[in-house]
Amino acid sequence: MPERRTVALVTLGCARNEVDSEELAGRLEADGWELVEDAESADVAVVNTCGFVEAAKKDSVDALLEANDLKGHGRTQAVVAVGCMAERYGKELAEALPEADGVLGFDDYEDISGRLQTILSGGSVEAHAPRDRRKLLPISPAERQEAGSGIALPGHAPVDLPDGVAPASGPRAPLRRRLDGAPVASVKLASGCDRRCTFCAIPSFRGSFISRRPSDVLNETRWLAEQGVKEIMLVSENNTSYGKDLGDIRLLESLLPELAGVDGIERVRVSYLQPAEMRPGLIDVLTGTEKVAPYFDLSFQHSAPAVLRSMRRFGDTDRFLELLDTIRSKAPQAGVRSNFIVGFPGESEADFAELERFLNGARLDAIGVFGYSDEEGTEAATYDNKLDEDVVAERLARVSRLAEQLVSQRAEERLGETVEVLVESVDAEDGVVGRGAHQAPETDGQVRLTGGEGLTVGRMVVAKVVGTEGVDLVAEPLDGLEEAGR
């Protein structure tokens, strides 16, 4: 019998990383590796790192060091870094963190099994040399699909397994292996970004924007439905650009109804939308298509015109509020979330007050706030008009307090509303907990169902909001469980 090889995947960062981890898991399982949940039970612990901001990078380093501490105390023999931080820093990370037995970039994913086997056998795999991945694809979006066939695109693995490998569930099985049994799963819609926001380094290590084929997205969704998934969340760096390299910038509008029609799927959610690229047809589909959540994850970042221009972004308070009014005129219960950066270089008190004006008028369901800090390799890091750290910290604390008050007020506005709740957990301590259409996984709060005895994970329940707990809602199932759940 072949020697038993075990591997554990530890995932940090965003939902895109979760998709990448499941692709890596699919590749490894197809080559005979046994996937285990805990790093201490694995021969190799693979840490899928995040390289977005300083705090995320610190978390990634901590996870690698924690996994390294397992060596010599159990089964774990090697710790390997993959993901955005590994891709972004490569050899630099390997030199700074000798505890990692390997630092692998995206180009290593296709042969991840061979790389891990080499490391497990005592060999070494050279850490990759980072490069600007924006230069790997043509400038013209129309030329990218053909060129992209030779470029490593995590999460874009072929939907059919390689020859000789039995699919897990019918002929449409993707090169993906689910790492949990949650009723919601993310689906990669595209990779990379063509925007050049001055504070963001992501395009340099994720590359230029390239869409997945609609047939791959559809087939992966069908496969996920066969695995028991009830909600899919479409992820990428910028979903509003989907299809521009396939000759149809409105491709998302036609794809969403098809995804919503997949047997077994109860809800389709779209994340990562750019306000400057929102168009009337997309708003209509997001607010008027059955089983498509009227949910808008809009990347505002700020609302003061001067700050937005310095960020190389577009818009202002009044235009953003007008966009929100348009959305709510079509779907009054629509969910809206966004992230904001405070203390950006050159941000004046008047600019900060303008951001506060927007937040007070926007009625957002969830608000993420970050204090500006230099990110190496970005244009903003070269700006001279930096704010003192104590000013940034004071503004961060101030707007964070405001955000907490505002999202609680927005939750209270939902008292009496009817919501469709996807049940995600049932236990003796917390009871029945799920999410409404206005709440994305892990970021936007949750709904606690009272009187939900007999409900199971994966049920969709119609309920009335009867209370709030900060950003979270309390709701009662309507018309009895047999009629309320499906």
Side-chain angles (χ1 to χ4, degrees), residues 4-16:
R4 179 173 180 253
R5 302 175 299 174
T6 57
V7 59
L9 285 140
V10 179
T11 306
L12 295 94
C14 64
R16 300 184 294 271

Side-chain angles (χ1 to χ4, degrees), residues 404-423:
E404 186 175 352
Q405 296 169 4
L406 292 173
V407 295
S408 295
Q409 291 173 12
R410 178 65 182 127
E412 291 173 359
E413 291 179 19
R414 293 191 178 275
L415 286 169
E417 287 187 357
T418 298
V419 292
E420 285 196 336
V421 180
L422 177 65
V423 177

Side-chain angles (χ1 to χ4, degrees), residues 206-239:
R206 277 289 186 179
S208 297
F209 185 89
I210 185 165
S211 305
R212 289 185 76 193
R213 294 281 178 180
S215 57
D216 281 350
V217 177
L218 267 167
N219 286 337
E220 186 164 333
T221 298
R222 294 186 183 110
W223 178 81
L224 287 167
E226 292 173 356
Q227 308 303 302
V229 169
K230 300 298 182 182
E231 175 182 327
I232 62 162
M233 184 166 72
L234 300 177
V235 299
S236 75
E237 278 73 23
N238 178 9
N239 281 332

Side-chain angles (χ1 to χ4, degrees), residues 60 86 93 134 145 172 199 219 292 294 300 331 341 381 385 461 483:
S60 295
L93 177 62
R134 290 172 294 191
Q145 287 292 321
R172 297 187 305 271
F199 57 83
N219 286 337
V292 173
F300 289 121
I341 299 173
N385 50 349
V461 180
E483 295 181 29

Side-chain angles (χ1 to χ4, degrees), residues 336-359:
V336 187
R337 81 162 333 270
S338 192
N339 293 322
F340 299 90
I341 299 173
V342 297
F344 194 79
E347 181 191 63
S348 66
E349 281 287 354
D351 293 329
F352 185 71
E354 186 69 0
L355 174 59
E356 290 180 309
R357 180 170 82 88
F358 172 69
L359 290 172

